[in-house]
Amino acid sequence: MSTSSQCRVCGGTVTEFFDFGRQPLSDAFLKPSADFSQEFFFRLAVGLCGTCTMVQLMEEVPRDRMFNEDYPYFSSGSTFMRSHFESLAKYLLANELTADDPFVVEMGCNDGVMLKTIADAGVRHLGVEPSASVADVAASKGVRVRKSFFEESTAREILAADGPADVIYAANTLCHIPYMDSILDGVAALLKPTGAFIFEDPYLGEIVARTSFDQIYDEHFYFFTLRSVQEMASRHGLELVDAERLTVHGGEVRYTLAPKGQRKPTEAMRKLLAEEEAQNLTDIATLRGFGAKVERNRDDLLAVLRKAKDEGKRVVAYGATAKSATVTNLAGIGPDLVEFVCDTTPAKQGRVTPGTHIPVREPSAFTSDYPDYALLFAWNHAEEIMAKETAFADAGGKWILYVPDVRLV
Ligand code: SAH
Ligand code: TMP
Ligand code: ZN
């Protein structure tokens, strides 16, 4: 078991700071009849590059195992996220897509949650999405989609066919892609000199501040900071010119990169950079401290679940999130502690959770027979979910949360 590896951004040495142990593919929901002995596992561990400061996974899962025709995450499943991406699309239309016949490319457009607004506005666009399950849904909404992985060769083909892009956009996708050199060379080639590469991903500063350790799973390869994004951008003729904090998915940052020297870095970016420096995220001791908190949350959660079981209470989980694979597999939470997980995604219902094999059922299984406790795996959608499930609390039910610490509400 190695405790160092080579940085996928700069080739420097990555030093491990936390090991989550043996973990399955977070989105591989199995049929109950599957041969569980064939389930794929890897070692999920995170480290810090001593050279460019990028936090990243120690081991990479081959991309085709994760992103394929069975990919079950449909971005439009959350009302709140639909409006988040609609606002972003409107912002792009008003501020970045104002040239003559503008062109926007999105990596990881998923089911078209963002590009639908762009398509409806009649603006030239292309979604690049390798997972056929979601790409087909985007196409059915009138979004132009290319079913492939974005990488340098893809970018060059798009450039030859469609010309340069005013905006390249990626939400919760860039952090999924280990081969960063290829991506950023592709972006630099495809972008107009006046263009912008805008992406938003979970923010390491927030993960550490809130101990949201379940943001760490197979698909999330990188955990960005402004500092590490600056380092990786500068290796490809790009520059970080803006950064904005977002509350979605438990705390993200939206970064804007532009070709070097083309745009003036904003005051907001400088301010956030200064705040980040104060958090010492480039210090391995800070990250080891995070690891100690993860172990405490794991132990506290297990204690709550075991107590509920001893008292004969019913515990059901809410939201069969990819994130929850990290929690359940780290803590060893299986069907003995959690009866089932309810989820609105048809592709997940009737399956069992990766690694821990908890049945996934439709939301009516929850609402028709409220349990004593609901373990909120989709804690990043807490506001939306608690607002629609007030009857559960009215019936005396309690939510179990484990980020930033374990508590009942
Ligand atoms: N943008 C959406 C989807 C995020 S899920 C949202 O924010 O909700 C990540 C998506 O990235 C998946 O749909 C996956 O298939 C896609 N993806 C993974 N690697 C990719 C690559 N190299 N190029 C383009 N898309 C990729
Ligand atoms: P995410 O945290 O990665 O966005 O995944 C959210 C999961 O939770 C996804 O499988 C859909 C599910 N979900 C529900 O079951 N009910 C809801 O109200 C919401 C918002 C999500
Ligand atoms: Zn590095």
Side-chain angles (χ1 to χ4, degrees):
M1 210 178 273
S2 119
T3 53
S4 72
S5 63
Q6 204 180 18
C7 176
R8 292 298 308 262
V9 172
C10 78
T13 301
V14 178
T15 304
E16 186 173 318
F17 63 83
F18 195 75
D19 182 0
F20 290 88
R22 196 170 162 265
Q23 290 274 343
L25 302 176
S26 61
D27 264 322
F29 291 84
L30 310 173
K31 290 191 177 131
S33 59
D35 177 2
F36 295 154
S37 70
Q38 295 302 305
E39 195 169 6
F40 178 88
F41 286 90
F42 74 110
R43 189 174 81 91
L44 179 71
V46 264
L48 168 73
C49 174
T51 308
C52 76
T53 78
M54 184 66 81
V55 168
Q56 57 201 277
L57 296 191
M58 304 301 291
E59 276 182 24
E60 178 183 339
V61 172
R63 65 187 189 178
D64 305 284
R65 280 193 177 270
M66 299 185 281
F67 309 117
N68 51 46
E69 62 287 352
D70 293 325
Y71 190 64
Y73 182 70
F74 292 78
S75 304
S76 296
S78 153
T79 314
F80 188 83
M81 291 312 295
R82 280 203 302 276
S83 75
H84 170 80
F85 288 121
E86 192 183 317
S87 312
L88 183 269
K90 287 182 176 156
Y91 169 84
L92 294 180
L93 289 168
N95 295 281
E96 296 284 349
L97 300 169
T98 52
D100 246 8
D101 191 22
F103 178 46
V104 52
V105 174
E106 184 180 12
M107 309 179 198
C109 70
N110 197 276
D111 60 5
V113 67
M114 194 288 280
L115 282 181
K116 178 168 188 327
T117 306
I118 303 278
D120 289 350
V123 167
R124 264 194 325 131
H125 64 276
L126 181 67
V128 183
E129 174 51 70
S131 299
S133 49
V134 292
D136 289 343
V137 175
S140 75
K141 294 175 182 166
V143 170
R144 188 173 157 240
V145 196
R146 177 185 164 131
K147 268 188 236 173
S148 56
F149 287 95
F150 187 96
E151 55 194 357
E152 189 183 352
S153 59
T154 329
R156 293 195 183 278
E157 283 168 29
I158 297 170
L159 180 65
D162 296 286
D166 296 84
V167 171
I168 302 175
Y169 177 70
N172 306 298
T173 297
L174 194 68
C175 75
H176 291 54
I177 311 180
Y179 35 102
M180 193 57 82
D181 274 347
S182 170
I183 296 295
L184 293 184
D185 283 344
V187 164
L190 181 56
L191 208 55
K192 281 186 189 169
T194 51
F197 176 35
I198 303 173
F199 58 96
E200 54 194 75
D201 286 288
Y203 180 49
L204 181 69
E206 197 78 46
I207 293 172
V208 169
R210 301 188 63 204
T211 320
S212 39
F213 63 97
D214 54 352
Q215 290 289 8
I216 303 171
Y217 55 92
D218 56 349
E219 294 172 21
H220 288 176
F221 188 85
Y222 291 116
F223 303 90
F224 299 136
T225 59
L226 274 65
R227 166 84 189 277
S228 60
V229 165
Q230 277 184 323
E231 298 262 0
M232 76 178 190
S234 71
R235 302 172 59 83
H236 299 272
L238 298 166
E239 185 180 9
L240 178 66
V241 294
D242 194 21
E244 177 194 351
R245 288 188 94 126
L246 306 173
T247 55
V248 295
H249 290 311
E252 302 204 327
V253 168
R254 179 178 289 158
Y255 305 89
T256 302
L257 307 189
K260 212 168 261 174
Q262 289 286 336
R263 294 190 187 203
K264 192 171 169 287
T266 61
E267 241 346 277
M269 194 269 288
R270 291 187 199 287
K271 190 165 165 272
L272 195 46
L273 197 57
E275 281 171 29
E276 180 178 290
E277 270 165 28
Q279 214 185 335
N280 284 326
L281 297 171
T282 56
D283 185 346
I284 195 100
T286 306
L287 300 171
R288 291 207 167 108
F290 159 80
K293 286 190 191 155
V294 174
E295 288 176 338
R296 192 191 62 201
N297 281 23
R298 173 199 62 194
D299 295 346
D300 290 353
L301 178 58
L302 264 180
V304 166
L305 296 177
R306 287 195 179 126
K307 180 162 178 278
K309 187 181 174 165
D310 290 346
E311 292 171 350
K313 307 274 197 216
R314 285 182 62 220
V315 180
V316 159
Y318 201 108
T321 56
K323 292 186 286 296
S324 65
T326 298
V327 183
T328 55
N329 287 279
L330 176 72
I333 298 168
D336 54 325
L337 292 175
V338 170
E339 211 175 294
F340 62 87
V341 191
C342 72
D343 194 286
T344 50
T345 316
K348 295 181 182 177
Q349 295 161 2
R351 305 263 178 148
V352 299
T353 58
T356 46
H357 309 152
I358 305 169
V360 182
R361 300 183 59 188
E362 62 290 349
S364 61
F366 173 74
T367 49
S368 63
D369 185 13
Y370 287 130
D372 300 292
Y373 296 108
L375 174 55
L376 188 56
F377 284 148
W379 55 264
N380 47 312
H381 302 289
E383 210 177 311
E384 179 175 345
I385 290 170
M386 288 183 186
K388 78 174 165 192
E389 302 293 2
T390 48
F392 167 61
D394 292 346
K398 293 260 183 252
W399 295 97
I400 304 175
L401 293 164
Y402 51 90
V403 166
D405 39 36
V406 177
R407 62 196 197 286
L408 301 181
V409 297

